[in-house]
Amino acid sequence: MARWEPGARERLQAAALELFAARGFEQTTAAEIAESVGLTERTFFRHFSDKREVLFHGQQQFLQAFVDGVETAPSDASPLEVIASALQAAASFFPDERRPFSRTRQSVIDQNPALQERELHKLAGLVTTVAGALRARGIGEPAATLAAESGATVFGIAFAQWIREGERRSLSEISSDVLRELLYLAGAATRPASLS
Amino acid sequence: MARWEPGARERLQAAALELFAARGFEQTTAAEIAESVGLTERTFFRHFSDKREVLFHGQQQFLQAFVDGVETAPSDASPLEVIASALQAAASFFPDERRPFSRTRQSVIDQNPALQERELHKLAGLVTTVAGALRARGIGEPAATLAAESGATVFGIAFAQWIREGERRSLSEISSDVLRELLYLAGAATRPASLS
């Protein structure tokens, strides 16, 4: 019978990330990850369907946090106010304690084209889901998709800044700053006659 | 010696698209494409490195059109005015005669996850290249990446609308409308105190 290993999941995840970063994702096997923390390959596969899942398993909760932020925004909020609410909800998914993990995870992904594709796919899924949640609030197209894409863009830029070495601001603060920059860019661009 | 086939490239491309749409991308071989227009597999491979390239070979010129639009914008243009210029240059790459081809191409891509990933990757490459061209104009970060991402978003939404059945407006007109919607969304969202 399978023995319950307290904290096995977290230990496997930390060990996997360390090995991926040191040796490369492709060069690391599930058995090696398990062995490095004194567990069996079988235990690994009880927690993760494959080694990629170590990097992507929080995905559904992250998506849900983003969507919760859309759904809990005040009913009279404008599309980009709804996005601001979603960005704050998504940021709460990444407290500062998680920054070193997120930083290492990103460096592993940046080194592997297949993982990059998966990450892009995840962001595309985020846009589709959030646009649907905006339409459910009565926001039409193309406003819903534009707002959802803008939210994903702001999140992506803010996240990349958050994991930069030396950055001290929280993801929530950076997201607000980047969203404000987008509003400023768009605001500055409405003035010239050439765009109107 | 290889015989020169006038218009072989265009005939192969049209035949490939028709077969991909009718049978599916995976189920169609290069030999079948060539055969359907009375050419050899060898002739196919003189024009395309593989069957995927039939769908993606204009990519570099499209990217260049977008970047040309960035580079030829007036020197005092705001980041989103530069993007407006780039969108117009990119739209000129898709004259209305090309609409049926683009529509069928998209339906083939929509049915194949691997092709979708490639398309996402192409859009990600567009953002990186355009952000670089914006920085070369002296636009800082995160403004350059925000503007580039917004340009890619507007392009993507406008393109999807352009190939919709029954749509009559040109890609250039639709791009302008979608960009204006983005400016409107952002403009409307700068007012409420909750975002400032």
Side-chain angles (χ1 to χ4, degrees), chain B residues 44-86:
Chain B
F44 180 91
F45 286 114
R46 222 178 302 128
H47 291 280
F48 300 102
S49 59
D50 59 33
K51 64 178 179 170
R52 281 212 315 186
E53 210 209 320
V54 175
L55 299 170
F56 292 97
H57 84 282
Q59 197 165 332
Q60 203 47 50
Q61 290 97 301
F62 164 68
L63 200 65
Q64 194 53 52
F66 217 103
V67 170
D68 286 348
V70 170
E71 290 172 351
T72 59
S75 59
D76 62 345
S78 72
L80 283 192
E81 284 181 292
V82 175
I83 289 302
S85 165

Side-chain angles (χ1 to χ4, degrees), chain A:
Chain A
M1 251 181 65
R3 192 158 58 89
W4 172 247
E5 294 281 355
R9 191 181 177 86
E10 291 68 26
R11 282 159 61 207
L12 286 165
Q13 194 173 31
L17 205 64
E18 201 173 301
L19 288 169
F20 293 162
R23 301 183 190 176
F25 177 78
E26 293 298 349
Q27 288 74 45
T28 305
T29 68
E32 288 166 344
I33 295 165
E35 200 181 314
S36 77
V37 286
L39 297 170
T40 63
E41 187 178 8
R42 199 173 148 165
T43 303
F44 180 92
F45 287 114
R46 220 179 304 130
H47 290 280
F48 301 101
S49 60
D50 60 32
K51 63 179 179 169
R52 283 213 311 187
E53 212 208 319
V54 176
L55 299 170
F56 292 98
H57 85 280
Q59 199 166 331
Q60 203 48 48
Q61 292 95 303
F62 164 68
L63 201 65
Q64 195 52 53
F66 217 104
V67 169
D68 286 348
V70 169
E71 290 171 350
T72 58
S75 59
D76 61 347
S78 72
L80 284 193
E81 284 181 294
V82 176
I83 289 301
S85 164
L87 286 167
Q88 291 311 311
S92 70
F93 196 71
F94 296 95
D96 280 345
E97 309 86 81
R98 204 170 159 173
R99 191 167 350 209
F101 175 87
S102 293
R103 186 179 283 148
T104 308
R105 175 185 178 279
Q106 194 62 46
S107 74
V108 170
I109 289 175
D110 288 347
Q111 282 158 40
N112 187 304
L115 297 175
Q116 285 167 38
E117 302 261 318
R118 168 97 181 241
E119 190 80 343
L120 281 175
H121 200 76
K122 177 177 119 179
L123 279 177
L126 174 70
V127 169
T128 307
T129 307
V130 171
L134 289 168
R135 284 193 301 272
R137 291 180 62 102
I139 297 169
E141 288 294 355
T145 297
L146 272 171
E149 289 271 9
S150 298
T153 294
V154 168
F155 180 82
I157 292 174
F159 188 83
Q161 181 61 40
W162 181 63
I163 60 175
R164 203 158 287 170
E165 286 296 338
E167 177 60 56
R168 298 285 184 89
R169 289 171 297 166
S170 68
L171 182 55
S172 160
E173 284 174 86
I174 304 173
S175 294
S176 293
D177 288 350
V178 176
L179 181 59
R180 205 170 295 130
E181 175 90 24
L182 176 63
L183 298 178
Y184 170 76
L185 276 182
T190 52
R191 273 179 253 124
S194 62
L195 273 172
S196 63

Side-chain angles (χ1 to χ4, degrees), chain A residues 146 153 182 185-186 189 192 194-195, chain B residues 62-63 65-92 123 126-135 137 139-156 158 171-172 174-180 182-183:
Chain A
L146 272 171
T153 294
L182 176 63
L185 276 182
S194 62
L195 273 172
Chain B
F62 164 68
L63 200 65
F66 217 103
V67 170
D68 286 348
V70 170
E71 290 172 351
T72 59
S75 59
D76 62 345
S78 72
L80 283 192
E81 284 181 292
V82 175
I83 289 302
S85 165
L87 286 167
Q88 290 311 310
S92 69
L123 281 178
L126 175 70
V127 169
T128 306
T129 306
V130 171
L134 290 168
R135 284 193 301 272
R137 292 180 61 103
I139 297 167
E141 288 294 356
T145 297
L146 273 171
E149 290 271 9
S150 298
T153 294
V154 169
F155 180 82
L171 182 55
S172 161
I174 303 171
S175 294
S176 293
D177 289 350
V178 177
L179 181 59
R180 206 170 295 128
L182 176 63
L183 298 179

